[in-house]
Amino acid sequence: MRRAVNDLLGAYDKLIMDPVHGGIPLYRHEIQVIDHPLFQRLRNICQNDILSLVFPGATHSRFLHSIGVMHVGTRMFRSMIDAYLRERQLSERTDLSLSQLDAIDYLAKTIRLSCLLHDSGHSSFSHQFTQARRIRELMSRPGRFRDLWAGVDYGHYHSQEPDELEHEHYSVRVAHEVLSSVDLDSAGLNAVDVIGIMETTRVTPSETFCRHSRTFWEFIAGDDAVAGTIAEQDVPGLVMGLLASIVSGEIDADRADYMLRDGFHSSVTIGGFNLDHLLSNLRFGWEVSEPWMGLAITQKGLGALEDFVYSRYQMYRKVYAHKTALGFDWLLREAINEVLEDPESFDWIDTCLSNMEFFAELTDNFFWEAFRKVARRQPQSYSFCIVNRIKLDHLDTRENLDRQRIDEHSQWLADQLKLIPHNVVTCSMRARFSNIQDNFNGIKVLVRNPVSRERSLRKITEVSAFFSKFGDGTITHFYSRPENTKSAPSDLSE
């Protein structure tokens, strides 16, 4: 109990300085996680693949992003606790019991570790790595998942073997490896609870989590909890869903950090939003009839949420889908494919993707060295383009074209510009906002009745028309290949 009180009062073991958030406090067990080689490897993985070739300041790493996500996730949870206590104090005297303090502390620390490890499975160049054709083939190899978990029971986290591995599956595997080497017992935590609120997992929470969940539910839901309309065994699942939405949801710590961080390091202001205002208006929401427990936002905070969504929309359009940036992403994927043409590199990457002992070797540095090796031997290679920043020649941009119309426009450009059709390449980015209305309906709005002053929860799209304005948008850029690659003997298809 004393540990919970001390931690909630702000006791910590180390403070690190972050250019976006300022001082970020760390506990002893979190320092052990960060010092683990599998986490330290994130220092050598760029948050935005090779975006720095377009926005030179965007050299920030997955390492600092992960620590930032932990910090934001903590702020989200504690902000909601603070708001709840503040509002309860207005109507009745509320004193936290030691069991309630201990429950809040346990859930807060579980969120922190889950946020810290949420991206630990990213490989070289983050998302672009798994989009390279030959990497996808490697990760789809039958038996890869079983090899990755050789000697370890993955049934604690996954109910079945996935058909194809994604970076989230590697994050779970890395988290298990790291947490197994950390003294979680001294922190009073359980690895299964931390990993259970990460993506792709389905777990049976620990008895400790179940006990704290029921205490938390009774504390938050008050009379609704006492009424007993939700079965006791269902409460841990509701609380786990709430915590998971903080780690990965429509308003989550991951998006909040990367939007602020990417905007800061890219020197782009369109990714800005008022995080303090948004957090101060987040609340716990629950519906005993569904049953449901999740994030809610006050009507006053809708403006901050709209800024959050619009900033994300603009970052996708103006930064992540920038014509030069997408062109370099295409070259990067082809350069990765070139590296895997070398049998020795292929075998080594294959080993790293199946064995945690060697997974830490998969960093950006490994591929940069491989690119330089290929570039020295083959001046007509895509690796040479990446190493020497030789970009694709941008021809045109179109939006919302299907595959057939993209092919037709490519052929038309080739005819008009007297190009060989093979030398016209396309890069598309789909900003997935068509589900924004449905997904944000999972976040409720606290509406106050002007007469009774009672509060009720409503779907967000019933209160604000803003979220119905978004749809999927596909931005397609058309390029011609760099002159030095057009006759390359190992030329690869898109």
Side-chain angles (χ1 to χ4, degrees):
M1 295 299 180
R2 178 178 296 175
R3 182 183 66 248
V5 175
N6 287 342
D7 292 343
L8 286 171
L9 287 175
Y12 56 86
D13 297 288
K14 190 173 185 178
L15 186 73
I16 63 172
M17 301 308 296
D18 175 71
V20 175
H21 301 296
I24 297 179
L26 299 172
Y27 300 120
R28 184 172 293 106
H29 62 279
E30 294 164 353
I31 297 171
Q32 293 173 1
V33 168
I34 291 171
D35 284 343
H36 194 284
L38 282 171
F39 193 88
Q40 284 291 312
R41 65 181 284 275
L42 297 178
R43 289 181 181 273
N44 298 310
I45 296 177
C46 195
Q47 171 74 10
N48 298 117
D49 49 79
I50 53 172
L51 188 66
S52 61
L53 293 183
V54 183
F55 299 92
T59 58
H60 52 298
S61 67
R62 287 275 162 187
F63 177 84
L64 200 50
H65 164 66
S66 297
I67 296 174
V69 174
M70 178 191 70
H71 180 66
V72 175
T74 304
R75 288 191 60 194
M76 288 177 69
F77 184 72
R78 291 192 173 181
S79 178
M80 289 186 284
I81 292 287
D82 290 344
Y84 181 83
L85 290 173
R86 190 167 58 248
E87 291 171 359
R88 284 282 294 270
Q89 289 282 6
L90 295 177
S91 57
E92 56 185 284
R93 180 171 178 78
T94 304
D95 292 318
L96 288 172
S97 66
L98 287 178
S99 62
Q100 289 170 336
L101 279 171
D102 205 26
I104 293 170
D105 177 68
Y106 187 88
L107 299 182
K109 285 185 174 177
T110 298
I111 290 172
R112 285 175 64 85
L113 279 181
S114 186
C115 286
L116 186 62
L117 291 162
H118 83 288
D119 266 354
S120 57
H122 266 297
S123 294
S124 312
F125 302 113
S126 299
H127 293 287
Q128 294 306 317
F129 179 80
T130 54
Q131 291 182 30
R133 173 177 53 81
R134 300 203 67 180
I135 294 296
R136 285 243 60 87
E137 292 170 358
L138 266 180
M139 293 180 69
S140 302
R141 175 178 64 77
R144 171 80 62 192
F145 183 79
R146 291 191 299 275
D147 290 345
L148 189 63
W149 286 92
V152 183
D153 182 9
Y154 63 79
H156 294 299
Y157 314 120
H158 301 286
S159 57
Q160 60 185 13
E161 181 179 339
D163 295 329
E164 189 171 1
L165 291 180
E166 302 290 349
H167 77 268
E168 290 88 353
H169 295 107
Y170 280 90
S171 293
V172 172
R173 182 65 183 92
V174 169
H176 173 83
E177 192 76 12
V178 172
L179 294 177
S180 296
S181 67
V182 171
D183 185 13
L184 285 186
D185 289 339
S186 295
L189 299 174
N190 291 274
V192 69
D193 301 331
V194 174
I195 297 174
I197 59 176
M198 294 170 63
E199 290 184 274
T200 76
T201 60
R202 189 177 185 87
V203 309
T204 300
S206 69
E207 282 301 318
T208 303
F209 185 93
C210 293
R211 171 167 50 84
H212 288 317
S213 293
R214 295 179 186 113
T215 300
F216 179 76
W217 167 249
E218 292 170 1
F219 165 63
I220 294 295
D223 293 340
D224 286 337
V226 174
T229 52
I230 295 179
E232 184 177 280
Q233 64 268 23
D234 294 335
V235 170
L238 291 176
V239 175
M240 188 158 276
L242 167 69
L243 304 190
S245 69
I246 294 175
V247 178
S248 178
E250 281 304 316
I251 313 177
D252 61 16
D254 180 30
R255 285 184 173 92
D257 181 81
Y258 79 62
M259 284 170 57
L260 291 175
R261 194 172 300 279
D262 293 353
F264 174 84
H265 286 284
S266 302
S267 299
V268 175
T269 58
I270 56 176
F273 62 95
N274 193 326
L275 179 62
D276 292 335
H277 185 44
L278 179 62
L279 296 187
S280 68
N281 285 284
L282 286 180
R283 299 291 187 273
F284 297 113
W286 64 91
E287 292 274 12
V288 294
S289 58
E290 293 189 28
W292 171 84
M293 189 175 193
L295 301 182
I297 192 164
T298 67
Q299 281 184 288
K300 186 175 68 173
L302 278 177
L305 180 57
E306 290 169 359
D307 285 344
F308 177 84
V309 174
Y310 185 68
S311 294
R312 182 176 156 217
Y313 178 79
Q314 286 290 72
M315 283 291 287
Y316 269 93
R317 294 185 62 86
K318 305 300 184 183
V319 177
Y320 307 133
H322 187 283
K323 66 181 189 300
T324 308
L326 281 193
F328 275 122
D329 284 345
W330 186 89
L331 287 169
L332 174 64
R333 294 192 295 271
E334 295 298 345
I336 291 172
N337 289 333
E338 284 178 339
V339 169
L340 268 75
E341 289 178 353
D342 173 53
E344 184 178 350
S345 295
F346 181 92
D347 290 342
W348 177 242
I349 294 168
D350 185 31
T351 299
C352 292
L353 287 172
S354 292
N355 192 323
M356 280 294 105
E357 183 180 352
F358 305 111
F359 185 69
E361 301 288 336
L362 281 181
T363 65
D364 294 1
N365 295 341
F366 171 84
F367 277 94
W368 277 114
E369 289 304 313
F371 294 156
R372 293 185 183 98
K373 183 179 178 181
V374 173
R376 285 194 296 270
R377 295 198 316 261
Q378 303 178 40
Q380 292 183 318
S381 64
Y382 297 111
S383 295
F384 186 91
C385 294
I386 289 294
V387 170
N388 294 282
R389 199 185 178 277
I390 299 173
K391 63 183 179 180
L392 295 175
D393 183 17
H394 181 255
L395 303 176
D396 197 9
T397 298
R398 289 288 186 270
E399 295 194 21
N400 301 323
L401 299 183
D402 57 24
R403 185 68 255 176
Q404 180 180 344
R405 293 170 65 196
I406 289 174
D407 293 340
E408 291 172 352
H409 193 63
S410 294
Q411 183 62 53
W412 180 83
L413 285 171
D415 294 341
Q416 295 297 311
L417 298 172
K418 304 294 190 293
L419 297 172
I420 300 172
H422 171 71
N423 288 333
V424 177
V425 299
T426 62
C427 300
S428 297
M429 174 172 281
R430 187 181 184 190
R432 294 177 176 84
F433 287 94
S434 62
N435 292 328
I436 204 166
Q437 180 171 333
D438 293 336
N439 290 340
F440 271 96
N441 272 333
I443 302 166
K444 309 294 185 182
V445 181
L446 283 171
V447 178
R448 188 187 296 274
N449 187 302
V451 178
S452 65
R453 307 304 293 171
E454 292 183 356
R455 289 189 169 189
S456 60
L457 291 170
R458 293 175 60 185
K459 287 184 176 181
I460 201 165
T461 46
E462 294 176 358
V463 180
S464 171
F466 176 84
F467 299 93
S468 62
K469 298 177 181 178
F470 292 91
D472 272 4
T474 301
I475 299 175
T476 301
H477 298 302
F478 297 81
Y479 310 87
S480 65
R481 299 171 191 261
E483 288 292 331
N484 70 306
T485 66
K486 290 183 179 180
S487 59
S490 59
D491 204 13
L492 299 168
S493 61
E494 296 175 53

Short mmCIF file of all heavy atoms in Angstrom, two decimals, residues 310-350:
data_model
loop_
_atom_site.label_atom_id
_atom_site.label_comp_id
_atom_site.label_asym_id
_atom_site.label_seq_id
_atom_site.Cartn_x
_atom_site.Cartn_y
_atom_site.Cartn_z
N TYR A 310 -8.66 16.41 -37.07
CA TYR A 310 -8.30 17.17 -38.27
C TYR A 310 -6.78 17.25 -38.44
O TYR A 310 -6.27 17.17 -39.56
CB TYR A 310 -8.89 18.58 -38.20
CG TYR A 310 -8.67 19.38 -39.47
CD1 TYR A 310 -9.30 19.02 -40.65
CD2 TYR A 310 -7.80 20.47 -39.48
CE1 TYR A 310 -9.09 19.73 -41.82
CE2 TYR A 310 -7.59 21.20 -40.65
CZ TYR A 310 -8.24 20.82 -41.81
OH TYR A 310 -8.02 21.52 -42.97
N SER A 311 -6.06 17.40 -37.34
CA SER A 311 -4.61 17.44 -37.41
C SER A 311 -4.06 16.13 -37.94
O SER A 311 -3.13 16.10 -38.76
CB SER A 311 -4.02 17.73 -36.02
OG SER A 311 -4.36 19.01 -35.58
N ARG A 312 -4.64 15.03 -37.49
CA ARG A 312 -4.22 13.72 -37.98
C ARG A 312 -4.50 13.59 -39.48
O ARG A 312 -3.66 13.09 -40.25
CB ARG A 312 -4.95 12.64 -37.19
CG ARG A 312 -4.57 11.21 -37.56
CD ARG A 312 -5.29 10.23 -36.65
NE ARG A 312 -5.42 8.93 -37.28
CZ ARG A 312 -6.46 8.14 -37.15
NH1 ARG A 312 -7.49 8.53 -36.42
NH2 ARG A 312 -6.50 6.97 -37.73
N TYR A 313 -5.65 14.04 -39.88
CA TYR A 313 -6.03 14.01 -41.30
C TYR A 313 -5.04 14.81 -42.14
O TYR A 313 -4.58 14.37 -43.19
CB TYR A 313 -7.45 14.56 -41.43
CG TYR A 313 -7.99 14.65 -42.83
CD1 TYR A 313 -8.48 13.52 -43.48
CD2 TYR A 313 -8.04 15.86 -43.51
CE1 TYR A 313 -8.99 13.59 -44.75
CE2 TYR A 313 -8.55 15.95 -44.80
CZ TYR A 313 -9.03 14.81 -45.41
OH TYR A 313 -9.53 14.88 -46.68
N GLN A 314 -4.69 15.98 -41.66
CA GLN A 314 -3.78 16.84 -42.40
C GLN A 314 -2.35 16.30 -42.41
O GLN A 314 -1.63 16.43 -43.41
CB GLN A 314 -3.78 18.26 -41.80
CG GLN A 314 -5.04 19.05 -42.12
CD GLN A 314 -5.12 19.42 -43.59
OE1 GLN A 314 -5.35 18.59 -44.46
NE2 GLN A 314 -4.90 20.70 -43.88
N MET A 315 -1.92 15.68 -41.32
CA MET A 315 -0.58 15.09 -41.29
C MET A 315 -0.46 13.98 -42.34
O MET A 315 0.58 13.85 -43.00
CB MET A 315 -0.27 14.54 -39.90
CG MET A 315 0.10 15.60 -38.87
SD MET A 315 1.71 16.38 -39.20
CE MET A 315 2.83 15.08 -38.74
N TYR A 316 -1.51 13.19 -42.49
CA TYR A 316 -1.48 12.15 -43.51
C TYR A 316 -1.37 12.75 -44.91
O TYR A 316 -0.60 12.28 -45.74
CB TYR A 316 -2.74 11.28 -43.41
CG TYR A 316 -2.56 10.08 -42.51
CD1 TYR A 316 -2.91 10.16 -41.16
CD2 TYR A 316 -2.04 8.89 -42.99
CE1 TYR A 316 -2.74 9.06 -40.32
CE2 TYR A 316 -1.86 7.79 -42.16
CZ TYR A 316 -2.22 7.89 -40.83
OH TYR A 316 -2.03 6.80 -40.01
N ARG A 317 -2.12 13.79 -45.15
CA ARG A 317 -2.17 14.36 -46.49
C ARG A 317 -0.92 15.16 -46.82
O ARG A 317 -0.41 15.11 -47.94
CB ARG A 317 -3.41 15.24 -46.65
CG ARG A 317 -4.72 14.47 -46.60
CD ARG A 317 -5.90 15.41 -46.88
NE ARG A 317 -5.79 15.98 -48.21
CZ ARG A 317 -6.23 15.41 -49.33
NH1 ARG A 317 -6.79 14.22 -49.28
NH2 ARG A 317 -6.11 16.01 -50.50
N LYS A 318 -0.42 15.93 -45.88
CA LYS A 318 0.64 16.89 -46.16
C LYS A 318 2.05 16.40 -45.83
O LYS A 318 3.03 16.92 -46.38
CB LYS A 318 0.39 18.20 -45.39
CG LYS A 318 -0.98 18.82 -45.65
CD LYS A 318 -1.19 19.17 -47.12
CE LYS A 318 -2.53 19.87 -47.32
NZ LYS A 318 -2.77 20.15 -48.76
N VAL A 319 2.16 15.43 -44.94
CA VAL A 319 3.48 14.95 -44.52
C VAL A 319 3.69 13.50 -44.96
O VAL A 319 4.57 13.20 -45.77
CB VAL A 319 3.68 15.10 -43.00
CG1 VAL A 319 5.03 14.53 -42.58
CG2 VAL A 319 3.57 16.56 -42.60
N TYR A 320 2.89 12.57 -44.41
CA TYR A 320 3.11 11.16 -44.69
C TYR A 320 2.90 10.82 -46.16
O TYR A 320 3.56 9.93 -46.69
CB TYR A 320 2.21 10.30 -43.81
CG TYR A 320 2.31 10.62 -42.33
CD1 TYR A 320 1.18 10.79 -41.55
CD2 TYR A 320 3.55 10.76 -41.72
CE1 TYR A 320 1.27 11.08 -40.20
CE2 TYR A 320 3.66 11.06 -40.37
CZ TYR A 320 2.51 11.23 -39.62
OH TYR A 320 2.61 11.53 -38.28
N ALA A 321 1.98 11.53 -46.84
CA ALA A 321 1.71 11.27 -48.26
C ALA A 321 2.38 12.31 -49.16
O ALA A 321 1.99 12.46 -50.32
CB ALA A 321 0.20 11.23 -48.53
N HIS A 322 3.36 13.02 -48.66
CA HIS A 322 4.10 13.99 -49.46
C HIS A 322 4.68 13.28 -50.69
O HIS A 322 5.18 12.16 -50.60
CB HIS A 322 5.23 14.60 -48.61
CG HIS A 322 5.95 15.72 -49.27
ND1 HIS A 322 6.90 15.53 -50.25
CD2 HIS A 322 5.88 17.07 -49.08
CE1 HIS A 322 7.38 16.69 -50.64
NE2 HIS A 322 6.78 17.65 -49.94
N LYS A 323 4.61 13.93 -51.83
CA LYS A 323 4.99 13.26 -53.08
C LYS A 323 6.43 12.75 -53.07
O LYS A 323 6.71 11.66 -53.57
CB LYS A 323 4.75 14.19 -54.28
CG LYS A 323 5.64 15.43 -54.34
CD LYS A 323 5.30 16.27 -55.57
CE LYS A 323 6.31 17.40 -55.79
NZ LYS A 323 6.38 18.32 -54.63
N THR A 324 7.35 13.52 -52.52
CA THR A 324 8.74 13.07 -52.48
C THR A 324 8.93 11.97 -51.44
O THR A 324 9.69 11.02 -51.66
CB THR A 324 9.67 14.26 -52.17
OG1 THR A 324 9.39 15.33 -53.07
CG2 THR A 324 11.13 13.86 -52.32
N ALA A 325 8.22 12.08 -50.33
CA ALA A 325 8.34 11.07 -49.27
C ALA A 325 7.83 9.72 -49.74
O ALA A 325 8.49 8.68 -49.51
CB ALA A 325 7.57 11.52 -48.03
N LEU A 326 6.69 9.67 -50.41
CA LEU A 326 6.16 8.39 -50.89
C LEU A 326 7.07 7.81 -51.97
O LEU A 326 7.21 6.59 -52.08
CB LEU A 326 4.74 8.57 -51.43
CG LEU A 326 3.60 8.64 -50.41
CD1 LEU A 326 2.25 8.50 -51.09
CD2 LEU A 326 3.74 7.57 -49.34
N GLY A 327 7.67 8.67 -52.77
CA GLY A 327 8.61 8.18 -53.77
C GLY A 327 9.82 7.51 -53.14
O GLY A 327 10.27 6.44 -53.58
N PHE A 328 10.35 8.11 -52.08
CA PHE A 328 11.47 7.49 -51.39
C PHE A 328 11.05 6.20 -50.68
O PHE A 328 11.84 5.26 -50.57
CB PHE A 328 12.10 8.47 -50.39
CG PHE A 328 13.11 9.38 -51.01
CD1 PHE A 328 12.97 10.75 -50.94
CD2 PHE A 328 14.22 8.85 -51.67
CE1 PHE A 328 13.91 11.60 -51.52
CE2 PHE A 328 15.17 9.69 -52.25
CZ PHE A 328 15.01 11.06 -52.18
N ASP A 329 9.80 6.15 -50.19
CA ASP A 329 9.32 4.90 -49.59
C ASP A 329 9.33 3.77 -50.62
O ASP A 329 9.69 2.64 -50.30
CB ASP A 329 7.90 5.10 -49.05
CG ASP A 329 7.86 5.88 -47.75
OD1 ASP A 329 8.92 6.03 -47.12
OD2 ASP A 329 6.77 6.34 -47.37
N TRP A 330 8.94 4.09 -51.85
CA TRP A 330 8.94 3.08 -52.91
C TRP A 330 10.37 2.61 -53.18
O TRP A 330 10.65 1.40 -53.27
CB TRP A 330 8.33 3.67 -54.19
CG TRP A 330 8.15 2.67 -55.29
CD1 TRP A 330 7.07 1.88 -55.54
CD2 TRP A 330 9.10 2.37 -56.33
NE1 TRP A 330 7.28 1.09 -56.64
CE2 TRP A 330 8.53 1.38 -57.15
CE3 TRP A 330 10.38 2.84 -56.64
CZ2 TRP A 330 9.18 0.85 -58.27
CZ3 TRP A 330 11.05 2.30 -57.74
CH2 TRP A 330 10.44 1.33 -58.55
N LEU A 331 11.30 3.56 -53.31
CA LEU A 331 12.69 3.20 -53.52
C LEU A 331 13.25 2.38 -52.36
O LEU A 331 14.02 1.43 -52.56
CB LEU A 331 13.53 4.47 -53.70
CG LEU A 331 13.37 5.21 -55.03
CD1 LEU A 331 14.04 6.58 -54.95
CD2 LEU A 331 13.94 4.40 -56.19
N LEU A 332 12.84 2.73 -51.14
CA LEU A 332 13.31 2.01 -49.96
C LEU A 332 12.87 0.55 -50.00
O LEU A 332 13.65 -0.37 -49.74
CB LEU A 332 12.80 2.69 -48.69
CG LEU A 332 13.07 1.97 -47.37
CD1 LEU A 332 14.57 1.89 -47.11
CD2 LEU A 332 12.37 2.68 -46.21
N ARG A 333 11.61 0.32 -50.31
CA ARG A 333 11.10 -1.05 -50.37
C ARG A 333 11.85 -1.87 -51.44
O ARG A 333 12.19 -3.03 -51.22
CB ARG A 333 9.60 -1.06 -50.64
CG ARG A 333 8.77 -0.47 -49.50
CD ARG A 333 7.29 -0.74 -49.68
NE ARG A 333 6.72 -0.09 -50.85
CZ ARG A 333 6.21 1.14 -50.85
NH1 ARG A 333 6.22 1.87 -49.74
NH2 ARG A 333 5.68 1.65 -51.95
N GLU A 334 12.10 -1.24 -52.59
CA GLU A 334 12.82 -1.94 -53.65
C GLU A 334 14.27 -2.20 -53.24
O GLU A 334 14.85 -3.24 -53.57
CB GLU A 334 12.77 -1.15 -54.95
CG GLU A 334 11.36 -1.02 -55.54
CD GLU A 334 10.76 -2.37 -55.90
OE1 GLU A 334 11.50 -3.37 -55.98
OE2 GLU A 334 9.53 -2.43 -56.10
N ALA A 335 14.87 -1.26 -52.50
CA ALA A 335 16.24 -1.46 -52.02
C ALA A 335 16.30 -2.61 -51.01
O ALA A 335 17.26 -3.40 -51.00
CB ALA A 335 16.77 -0.17 -51.40
N ILE A 336 15.29 -2.71 -50.15
CA ILE A 336 15.22 -3.84 -49.21
C ILE A 336 15.12 -5.15 -49.97
O ILE A 336 15.77 -6.15 -49.64
CB ILE A 336 14.03 -3.66 -48.24
CG1 ILE A 336 14.28 -2.48 -47.29
CG2 ILE A 336 13.78 -4.94 -47.44
CD1 ILE A 336 13.09 -2.12 -46.42
N ASN A 337 14.29 -5.16 -51.03
CA ASN A 337 14.18 -6.36 -51.87
C ASN A 337 15.54 -6.73 -52.47
O ASN A 337 15.88 -7.92 -52.57
CB ASN A 337 13.16 -6.14 -52.98
CG ASN A 337 11.72 -6.09 -52.47
OD1 ASN A 337 11.40 -6.68 -51.44
ND2 ASN A 337 10.87 -5.37 -53.18
N GLU A 338 16.30 -5.73 -52.90
CA GLU A 338 17.63 -5.98 -53.46
C GLU A 338 18.55 -6.64 -52.44
O GLU A 338 19.29 -7.57 -52.76
CB GLU A 338 18.26 -4.67 -53.93
CG GLU A 338 17.70 -4.13 -55.22
CD GLU A 338 18.34 -2.81 -55.61
OE1 GLU A 338 18.90 -2.13 -54.73
OE2 GLU A 338 18.27 -2.45 -56.79
N VAL A 339 18.52 -6.14 -51.21
CA VAL A 339 19.38 -6.70 -50.16
C VAL A 339 19.08 -8.18 -49.96
O VAL A 339 19.98 -9.00 -49.78
CB VAL A 339 19.19 -5.92 -48.84
CG1 VAL A 339 19.86 -6.64 -47.67
CG2 VAL A 339 19.75 -4.50 -48.97
N LEU A 340 17.79 -8.53 -50.03
CA LEU A 340 17.41 -9.92 -49.81
C LEU A 340 17.74 -10.83 -50.99
O LEU A 340 17.58 -12.06 -50.89
CB LEU A 340 15.92 -10.03 -49.46
CG LEU A 340 15.63 -9.98 -47.96
CD1 LEU A 340 15.79 -8.56 -47.42
CD2 LEU A 340 14.24 -10.50 -47.63
N GLU A 341 18.20 -10.26 -52.10
CA GLU A 341 18.67 -11.10 -53.20
C GLU A 341 20.00 -11.78 -52.86
O GLU A 341 20.34 -12.81 -53.43
CB GLU A 341 18.84 -10.25 -54.47
CG GLU A 341 17.53 -9.81 -55.08
CD GLU A 341 17.74 -8.94 -56.30
OE1 GLU A 341 18.91 -8.57 -56.57
OE2 GLU A 341 16.75 -8.63 -56.98
N ASP A 342 20.72 -11.21 -51.92
CA ASP A 342 21.97 -11.80 -51.47
C ASP A 342 21.65 -12.95 -50.51
O ASP A 342 21.03 -12.73 -49.47
CB ASP A 342 22.82 -10.74 -50.77
CG ASP A 342 24.06 -11.35 -50.12
OD1 ASP A 342 24.80 -12.05 -50.83
OD2 ASP A 342 24.27 -11.12 -48.91
N PRO A 343 22.05 -14.18 -50.84
CA PRO A 343 21.70 -15.34 -49.98
C PRO A 343 22.13 -15.19 -48.53
O PRO A 343 21.40 -15.59 -47.61
CB PRO A 343 22.42 -16.51 -50.67
CG PRO A 343 22.58 -16.07 -52.09
CD PRO A 343 22.80 -14.58 -52.03
N GLU A 344 23.31 -14.62 -48.31
CA GLU A 344 23.79 -14.47 -46.94
C GLU A 344 22.90 -13.51 -46.15
O GLU A 344 22.54 -13.79 -44.99
CB GLU A 344 25.23 -13.95 -46.96
CG GLU A 344 25.84 -13.85 -45.56
CD GLU A 344 27.29 -13.38 -45.60
OE1 GLU A 344 27.87 -13.33 -46.70
OE2 GLU A 344 27.83 -13.06 -44.52
N SER A 345 22.53 -12.37 -46.76
CA SER A 345 21.63 -11.41 -46.09
C SER A 345 20.26 -12.03 -45.88
O SER A 345 19.65 -11.85 -44.82
CB SER A 345 21.51 -10.14 -46.93
OG SER A 345 22.75 -9.46 -47.00
N PHE A 346 19.79 -12.76 -46.89
CA PHE A 346 18.48 -13.41 -46.78
C PHE A 346 18.45 -14.37 -45.59
O PHE A 346 17.52 -14.34 -44.78
CB PHE A 346 18.16 -14.16 -48.08
CG PHE A 346 16.83 -14.86 -48.08
CD1 PHE A 346 15.69 -14.22 -48.56
CD2 PHE A 346 16.71 -16.15 -47.58
CE1 PHE A 346 14.46 -14.87 -48.54
CE2 PHE A 346 15.49 -16.81 -47.57
CZ PHE A 346 14.36 -16.16 -48.05
N ASP A 347 19.45 -15.22 -45.49
CA ASP A 347 19.48 -16.20 -44.40
C ASP A 347 19.57 -15.52 -43.03
O ASP A 347 18.94 -15.98 -42.06
CB ASP A 347 20.68 -17.14 -44.58
CG ASP A 347 20.51 -18.08 -45.77
OD1 ASP A 347 19.36 -18.24 -46.24
OD2 ASP A 347 21.52 -18.63 -46.25
N TRP A 348 20.33 -14.43 -42.95
CA TRP A 348 20.49 -13.75 -41.67
C TRP A 348 19.19 -13.08 -41.24
O TRP A 348 18.77 -13.20 -40.08
CB TRP A 348 21.62 -12.73 -41.75
CG TRP A 348 21.81 -11.95 -40.48
CD1 TRP A 348 21.69 -10.61 -40.31
CD2 TRP A 348 22.12 -12.48 -39.19
NE1 TRP A 348 21.91 -10.25 -39.01
CE2 TRP A 348 22.18 -11.39 -38.29
CE3 TRP A 348 22.36 -13.76 -38.71
CZ2 TRP A 348 22.46 -11.54 -36.95
CZ3 TRP A 348 22.64 -13.92 -37.36
CH2 TRP A 348 22.69 -12.83 -36.49
N ILE A 349 18.53 -12.41 -42.17
CA ILE A 349 17.26 -11.76 -41.85
C ILE A 349 16.21 -12.81 -41.50
O ILE A 349 15.41 -12.63 -40.56
CB ILE A 349 16.79 -10.88 -43.03
CG1 ILE A 349 17.76 -9.71 -43.22
CG2 ILE A 349 15.37 -10.34 -42.78
CD1 ILE A 349 17.57 -8.95 -44.52
N ASP A 350 16.22 -13.91 -42.21
CA ASP A 350 15.31 -15.02 -41.92
C ASP A 350 15.52 -15.51 -40.49
O ASP A 350 14.56 -15.76 -39.74
CB ASP A 350 15.56 -16.15 -42.92
CG ASP A 350 14.56 -17.29 -42.78
OD1 ASP A 350 13.41 -17.03 -42.40
OD2 ASP A 350 14.94 -18.44 -43.04
#
